[in-house]
Amino acid sequence: MGEPNGNENAMVHESEMVVDDEMIHGNEMVHSGEMIHEHDMVQGNEMVHGDEMVEGSGMVHDDEMIHGNEMIQVSDMIHGHEMVQVNDMVNGDEMAHGHELVSAEVTPPTISRRRRKKSLVWEHFTIEPVPGERGCQRACCNLCKATFAYSSGTKIAGTSHLKRHITLGSCPMIKSQERKLAMSSIGGVTDNDGEGTVERPSKRRYRYTGFANATFDQDRSSSHLAKLIILHDYPLHVVQQPAFTAFTDSLQPRFRVADVETMEAEVYGVYQKEKNNLMQALNTMPGRISLTIGLWTTSQTLGYVSIAGQFIDTDWKVHRRMLNFMMVSSPHSENALGEAISSSLTDWNMKDKLFTVTLDNDCSSHDIYSANLRDHLSNKNNLMLKGQLFVVRCYANILNAVAHDVIASIHGVIYSIRESIKFIKASSAREQRFAEIALQLEIPSTKTLCLDVTTQWNTTYLMLLAALDYRQAFTTLETCDDNYNESPSAEDWKKLEAACNYLKFLYDSAHSIMAAANPTSNLFFHEAWKLQLELSNAITHEDPVFSSIAKEMHERFDKYWKDCNLVLAIGVVMDPRFKMKLVEFSYSKIYGVEAAKYVKVVDDALHDLYKDYVAQPLPLTPAYGAPGEVNKNGPAHANNNTVTPPSTGDGLLDFDMYLSEIAISQPSKSELEQYLEEALTPRIQDFEIVDWWKLNTLKFPTLAKMARDILAIPMSMVSSGCSIFAAATTGSRMLDDYRSSLRPEIVEALFCSKDWLQYSPPPPAEAQGSVAVKME
């Protein structure tokens, strides 16, 4: 084969050129199923650069790039003297560079040899002539018999539109077959109305990625829609909104949008499925469960009770799950609440597993409320420690209640601060003027003045804290701007300083609790005793402004401390870094010379609670047998320490007898005593108390069972990851008008399922339904 030259007109021999399954005949060139005539556009998968000579007997491969003076080889030799010219722009999948015309003299064909079409579209289309039009041909779909342009006699339309017809679901027969396949999966029609099954076109060799050929499942799509509504609090009637139906139709026209009643059934189906999953998890729960109780009201004066359970599983992981959200006739009645709790325990098969109940009700009625609730439930449940730990008050609730008391005591000053900030922020000129005043006064603060969110007291605290730094700037602004007259007085600034001083205790305590990923009960004693000590000392402050605010705070918080310090103390004793030592230290700070009396209360309650757990059977473990178990050496006798251990034959029988006598004279200590007498665990960073007890379960089997239940007590009703500052202070939360209008069982399904779904595993990858198809 000769070297290609740079002439404009390249000579092509042989009567025809065949490129990618098509034949060049006469003055025609066919690329990739398309015919190019004279001045038509060149399409394909090749790039042609410069002046090239076409000759030889090789084959042109798709996707090759020919640069400079490279030779294009074809599968057949082209003879003849006819000239083939291409004068137009080359586009499509090929790019032509250069300004010369490509021409060739081709001799008249001597042999007509057309190769078989290898494109996959021809498995589904047939070329048919157009009657009355010479040389015109159309492609006919073998499935639906629709025809498409193919050849006009001088030009071939190509195959792209044919590929789209069979791969993008345009063919009605393919759509019909997909519909029947979907129906067959749910018990529908399986044949083609007696005409046989339509064979789906093979997609495995097409380069196509998308959802058009994915298997459609109406039930699965409806279930996902129900979960979307649940998780994002959408109203059920969103499915009837025109915009929503238009959206779903654009994604999948075959999806049948349900009405509200059907959507309720879908939501309830999700609720039942997730409830069964949670039921199985609770059946394997090794310890007891502690409940949190929330009260809700509606605009129709109906009442709801939310019941959530917190527990530690067999792997020592802390869990909190919503159990029920039920309507009650009077949620503030202890009898109604007791019945709701009993009903929930029966529903979840946990009548004998209740440990504590945490409430968020108003502390003013806490004593009577708690006593009645304890009496009501103790008749139906075996309460530990005679119910002394049974009713717990929410720590987040008391922090918010005390903070709102402080804010209410200086509401007039806070109003002046808000109005002052509004005045300054009203224009950029005022902001600039205020900044200049602060600069002249050399105020070092970098805090930014901003308005608060009235429902979140932490933002009010931060607003007041920033205002305190700029107190001189506010006073100066009032003297130089006649339009501003809201600057607080000197007495007001003192009240503001006192309030911020005590709000800081609450703010820091709340942040310490929120910093814990899983706040177990041992963490709350640290915050509560420090706050109790600070407020006790503050009421004796020499400044009456400071002492008056502290007195109001201490009065409310001291009520919480008296109600909950026992359960708080027992919780911290279960922390091997502190045990009883921190209780003794903190009580000495708070109670002074009377500390020993209060320490003894905790110690006695701790031992009595341990005795309750000793009386319960332990699960069998490899290291411990069941009480009274008969072994090969004879029956075991309870409280009989005189049994001589069998001799090993090593001549130390007298030594064995000596050990037996020591055991009689010095009885072994209980697990609780051993635990309390051991040295404290070092206070290292990132200490995980549940992991410590998991590792020491075999060493302290009974005490570990007790620790599991104590650490799971929810001292705060605020879930992990939520803001304490936005929690309700007292009374009930309000259910919105939309949810108030729903049937009670649907309200419960929406609330509970939303909580459960966030812990569900993600859907499997196959459920995404995407299809990726490539051409071989």
Side-chain angles (χ1 to χ4, degrees), residues 28 34-37 40 127-130 132-139 148-158 161:
E28 300 173 348
E34 300 178 2
M35 184 171 289
I36 302 172
H37 285 270
D40 291 335
I127 302 298
E128 297 180 352
V130 179
E133 297 184 20
R134 184 179 180 184
C136 293
Q137 297 175 314
R138 294 183 67 81
F148 301 85
Y150 178 65
S151 172
S152 63
T154 60
K155 184 185 297 185
I156 288 183
H161 60 307

Side-chain angles (χ1 to χ4, degrees), residues 270-346:
V270 172
Y271 163 76
Q272 289 288 1
K273 179 180 179 181
E274 296 299 325
K275 183 177 181 179
N276 291 335
N277 294 338
L278 180 57
M279 182 77 76
Q280 295 177 9
L282 292 177
N283 288 337
T284 62
M285 183 179 64
R288 290 177 171 255
I289 192 168
S290 292
L291 304 180
T292 61
I293 311 298
L295 307 180
W296 296 72
T297 57
T298 70
S299 55
Q300 290 89 6
T301 67
L302 297 174
Y304 280 86
V305 172
S306 63
I307 302 176
Q310 185 160 303
F311 61 95
I312 296 178
D313 65 12
T314 54
D315 198 35
W316 286 87
K317 302 295 182 184
V318 183
H319 300 277
R320 181 181 292 189
R321 298 290 187 273
M322 181 75 77
L323 299 179
N324 293 95
F325 194 91
M326 60 182 67
M327 187 175 72
V328 294
S329 57
S330 178
H332 291 277
S333 167
E334 62 272 10
N335 290 332
L337 186 58
E339 290 297 333
I341 296 174
S342 297
S343 175
S344 178
L345 295 174
T346 302

